[in-house]
Amino acid sequence: MCGTCGCSEESGGTRITMLREDDEADHGHPHPHPHGHPHPHTGVQPDVAVETVTIEQRVLAKNDLLAERNRTWMTERGVVAVNMMSSPGAGKTTLLERTITDLAGRRPVAVVEGDQETRLDADRIGRTGCAVVQVNTGAGCHLDAEMMRDALTALSPAQGSLLMVENVGNLVCPALFDLGERAKAVIISVTEGTDKPLKYPYMFAAADLILINKADLLPYVDFDVEQCTRHARSVNPDVRVLTVSATTGEGLTHWYDWLAAQR
C-alpha cells in the first residue's frame, strides 16, 4: 500500500516508453524503478497513525525536492509544463489531440502520457506527429516528480516547448504530487456530477484552470454549469472556469489563449 494515498503497488514499477514515428510495435524498452512509496505494515498498532503521517511527509518532501529540480531544468530551457488531471473518461486525450492539431505551427508541443498500463493514448497522440513519451505506473494511481524526471530525460522537449502532461485518471492522488509543472488544469465532463468539486475539494483547490468538457452533450444530461462553477469557487475562489467541447471546438479559443499566457 502506498503510504501517501493508499494505492496498492504490488504489480510492479514504472515503465517509460518513448514513441517514435517509425514505431509499429511495442518495442518495450522497460525502465523499471521503484515507485518511491513506502509500504507500511497494516494492523492495529498504537503508533500506526503517527508513523503513516511521518512516511507521508517524507514521501512528499522527497517528491517536492525532485519537482523543484524538474522546474529548474524546464525553466532554463523555456519549457512550460501543464499538468492535466481528471477522472477517467473526462476527455483529456481527445482534448490533447485537438489542441495539438489546432496549435500546429504556433509553438512546439510535446506530451507525457500517464496510465497504469498500455500505450493506447500515447499511440493516439503519436499519430498527430507530436513527440510523446508513455509512462506506465503499474498499480500506481498518479505520476510523481521522479517519473516526470525520467520522462523529461526520454523526451528531451525542444527549447520553448509547451509540455502537456496527461496524468493518470484520478481526482485524488495527482493533486498531492508536484511534478515541476507551471500550471494545473483539471478537466471535468458534463457526464459527471455537478458536485464533483465538493466531493474532491483538494483536486479543485489545486487547479489553476477548470475545463468543463463535452459541452455539446449539455442538452442531453443533467448538469448545471453555473452550479458546478459555484462549487469550484467555493473551494478555490480565484480559479478560472471554461466550458468547452473537444469534439465540436466550442470554447477552445479561450483554452488556447490561456495556454499561450503560460510562459
Side-chain angles (χ1 to χ4, degrees):
M1 299 291 288
C2 167
T4 298
C5 57
C7 62
S8 170
E9 298 177 31
E10 295 177 357
S11 67
T14 306
R15 298 191 303 279
I16 310 291
T17 306
M18 182 67 196
L19 272 69
R20 304 185 186 281
E21 291 185 3
D22 60 349
D23 279 358
E24 296 181 357
D26 189 350
H27 300 293
H29 302 304
H31 299 271
H33 68 276
H35 193 285
H37 288 16
H39 300 260
H41 295 291
T42 58
V44 180
Q45 300 176 24
D47 61 343
V48 166
V50 174
E51 181 62 18
T52 299
V53 170
T54 301
I55 289 170
E56 289 176 357
Q57 290 173 340
R58 290 172 182 167
V59 169
L60 292 175
K62 176 185 176 183
N63 184 84
D64 289 347
L65 178 61
L66 291 175
E68 281 303 316
R69 292 175 180 169
N70 291 344
R71 187 172 288 107
T72 298
W73 188 93
M74 288 187 284
T75 298
E76 290 173 348
R77 292 160 178 80
V79 174
V80 174
V82 176
N83 187 358
M84 300 177 65
M85 299 174 287
S86 78
S87 57
K92 292 192 303 299
T93 310
T94 300
L95 179 63
L96 272 174
E97 289 175 308
R98 180 85 184 230
T99 299
I100 292 163
T101 300
D102 288 353
L103 295 184
R106 301 191 204 176
R107 185 177 185 182
V109 180
V111 174
V112 174
E113 277 290 343
D115 276 308
Q116 289 186 319
E117 293 294 343
T118 80
R119 50 183 252 186
L120 295 173
D121 286 350
D123 286 339
R124 286 174 59 182
I125 297 300
R127 285 193 286 272
T128 70
C130 181
V132 57
V133 63
Q134 177 72 56
V135 180
N136 289 128
T137 63
C141 54
H142 57 271
L143 297 176
D144 61 26
E146 184 175 7
M147 298 175 196
M148 181 70 166
R149 179 199 64 194
D150 293 345
L152 287 169
T153 300
L155 192 56
S156 189
Q159 183 85 18
S161 289
L162 176 63
L163 179 62
M164 308 298 288
V165 182
E166 183 174 355
N167 217 313
V168 179
N170 180 356
L171 282 176
V172 182
C173 307
L176 300 175
F177 287 81
D178 184 7
L179 307 179
E181 70 270 26
R182 178 69 56 83
K184 293 178 171 67
V186 175
I187 298 91
I188 179 174
S189 73
V190 302
T191 56
E192 302 175 66
T194 298
D195 55 1
K196 276 289 177 70
L198 300 180
K199 291 183 175 182
Y200 302 93
Y202 293 103
M203 174 60 74
F204 288 88
D208 297 290
L209 176 72
I210 296 171
L211 294 171
I212 300 177
N213 191 28
K214 304 186 183 181
D216 52 302
L217 298 180
L218 279 171
Y220 312 104
V221 296
D222 182 17
F223 187 93
D224 189 328
V225 172
E226 292 185 1
Q227 185 63 50
C228 183
T229 299
R230 285 194 292 270
H231 288 331
R233 288 185 174 143
S234 73
V235 298
N236 188 347
D238 298 322
V239 73
R240 186 172 181 189
V241 181
L242 299 176
T243 303
V244 303
S245 169
T247 300
T248 67
E250 177 184 344
L252 291 184
T253 298
H254 299 298
W255 161 237
Y256 301 152
D257 289 344
W258 183 86
L259 288 173
Q262 309 308 307
R263 295 190 177 275

